[in-house]
Amino acid sequence: MGDSALDRASAPGGTRADWRTTLLDSAWQVLDANWTGTSTIPSRSLYPHQWSWDAAFIAVGRSWTDQRRAQSELESLFAAQWANGMLPHIVFNPAAPPGSYFPGPDFWDAGRAVGRAGRSGPASSGITQPPIHARAALQVYQRASDTGEARAFLARLFPKLSAQHDYLAGSRDPAGHGLAVIVHPWESGMDNAPIWDDDLELAVPPGVLPPYRRHDLVHADPADRPTAAAYDRFVYLAVTYRDAGYDDSTLLATSPFLVEDPLFNAIWCWSAHALAEIATILGEDPGPHRELAARISADMLAHLWDPASGRFHAWDVRGGRLLRKNTISSLMPLLDPALPAAQLAAISADLASPHFRPDAPGAFPVPSHDLLAPEFDRRRYWRGPVWINTNWLLWHGLRQHGAPRPAAEIAASAVALARLSGWREYFDPFSGEGYGSTDFSWSAALVTDLLRSGTVQ
Ligand code: 2M8
């Protein structure tokens, strides 16, 4: 245990008898300490700006007790949406010290983007992240105490959420598969996952990389973070997209990295269903959103399902091949309510197998990568540790498919990790040790959601 808010909350003298109350109080302290006035940063040290899918998870956590801040979280993010509907993965916080995160606003130079033309707004990055926001907005509405205000919030957000989904369908489908591609591992949210290893085997032309300093290594143990070679390639891919003016009409000609990922598309499908519900609440037509969700579902099955391995895998548009790495992304089609029985059975079996169920007393499911794969690394970022957000997504997926028992176990694992190691960014599946940043917002927000939902007894 380090000097986290949880340690402080449970320190002698400040202790309350009920561990749930202690945990919820300390989660609240973390979120409040990370509040900027309009949004919540993921962590004071490592991530001093607003991140896109983090904001959605944080809004879900806040929705239980602070409707105003939950709404603000999403609305401040959408203030940075581009004219073409692209929702950036980072909205820069003007109060953060210059140079406190790389790559910063100067690197991204979003002003030159074709798709941002005519739009001002806060400085942002030039890439996106998993589109979970419609789902989060719906949950904020459903828990609101002021329903009139919540409806007005939904009405303000609805056209923006629709534009986000239209952007993905219209500009991010160069293969014509009906699925959205990511143009950078950072867009996946699972930045350093082994799925991208083969595609990152690219030669960075000399002189292309700007000189840069990795701030993450100042704030985190290098053993927990991406290697120098991986980071160079991340920067190279970002430079390439930026220098093509972030022009999605030329993706096939310019982008070395084009991947249709199960996690990204399953979340999109789940959110399209939420957007249909939002449309119904607002008296709008839910039809187009339902149709989009049905198309994503059918196209994931047609293009990402691999009968040979019995798993969903990412499709590499450039290489014309499935990327057969068994990460937690392969399990995420559970979020699709229309997932057929055969695929549901295969994912459920994988989850219960030694690939994803640590076979050791007191271990913590669900590792982010196959425990039996050669690349599995119990502490390195997205290559094996447990993350609270992926447990939370699987919890939802399993519950919607009528599997409350495994869902509750996964939720209990997330809560137990927070109790043991505090609000860390990710956790060792065997020992429960926490890694990465401390006082990490989505860990606090989503454990709040799990506890308040009453799943964990
Ligand atoms: C991590 O990603 C950023 C780049 O976007 C980084 O490593 O610097 C990922 O875990 C991502 O999913 C997350 O949104 C972000 C902020 O928490 O950190």
Side-chain angles (χ1 to χ4, degrees), residues 67-287:
Q67 179 184 349
R68 201 178 49 79
R69 285 192 182 180
Q71 293 178 184
S72 173
E73 201 68 63
L74 290 170
E75 294 203 80
S76 58
L77 177 71
F78 275 89
Q81 186 173 32
W82 288 10
N84 64 354
M86 202 282 288
L87 186 66
H89 97 303
I90 302 176
V91 180
F92 289 104
N93 168 15
S100 52
Y101 180 81
F102 176 83
D106 295 345
F107 171 90
W108 290 106
D109 196 11
R112 76 159 92 168
V114 180
R116 192 170 183 266
R119 183 69 59 92
S120 52
S124 76
S125 69
I127 57 172
T128 195
Q129 256 190 341
I132 195 169
H133 311 84
R135 185 54 61 180
L138 181 62
Q139 294 196 7
V140 170
Y141 169 82
Q142 287 166 336
R143 298 199 188 118
S145 48
D146 182 343
T147 43
E149 174 43 37
R151 197 173 188 285
F153 154 77
L154 276 191
R156 289 192 297 275
L157 222 51
F158 179 66
K160 302 178 182 186
L161 292 164
S162 302
Q164 177 193 24
H165 289 217
D166 289 348
Y167 164 76
L168 295 173
S171 302
R172 284 301 192 92
D173 184 16
H177 281 174
L179 300 172
V181 286
I182 52 170
V183 301
H184 195 294
W186 286 337
E187 293 200 314
S188 73
M190 298 180 47
D191 309 11
N192 201 32
I195 322 174
W196 332 121
D197 286 0
D198 291 346
D199 279 14
L200 285 175
E201 286 298 322
L202 36 86
V204 178
V208 167
L209 295 183
Y212 69 91
R213 185 166 157 254
R214 286 183 61 181
H215 298 276
D216 59 326
L217 298 184
V218 178
H219 299 292
D221 188 329
D224 303 350
R225 296 286 303 173
T227 62
Y231 221 84
D232 271 358
R233 285 150 184 176
F234 291 158
V235 175
Y236 169 59
L237 288 176
V239 165
T240 308
Y241 190 40
R242 179 196 69 191
D243 291 352
Y246 302 108
D247 183 354
D248 296 310
S249 69
T250 64
L251 281 182
L252 277 177
T254 56
S255 176
F257 183 96
L258 293 172
V259 176
E260 295 162 355
D261 174 49
L263 176 142
F264 193 101
N265 283 285
I267 284 181
W268 187 25
C269 177
W270 195 44
S271 263
H273 281 288
L275 201 48
E277 277 189 60
I278 292 173
T280 304
I281 292 163
L282 295 173
E284 303 277 349
D285 180 8

Side-chain angles (χ1 to χ4, degrees), residues 42 47 51 53-54 89-90 101 129 186 189-191 225 231 381-382 387 425 440 442:
Y47 308 115
W51 257 261
W53 75 333
D54 299 58
H89 97 303
I90 302 176
Y101 180 81
Q129 256 190 341
W186 286 337
M190 298 180 47
D191 309 11
R225 296 286 303 173
Y231 221 84
Y381 174 81
W382 290 116
W387 291 71
E425 192 178 357
F440 186 65
W442 88 38

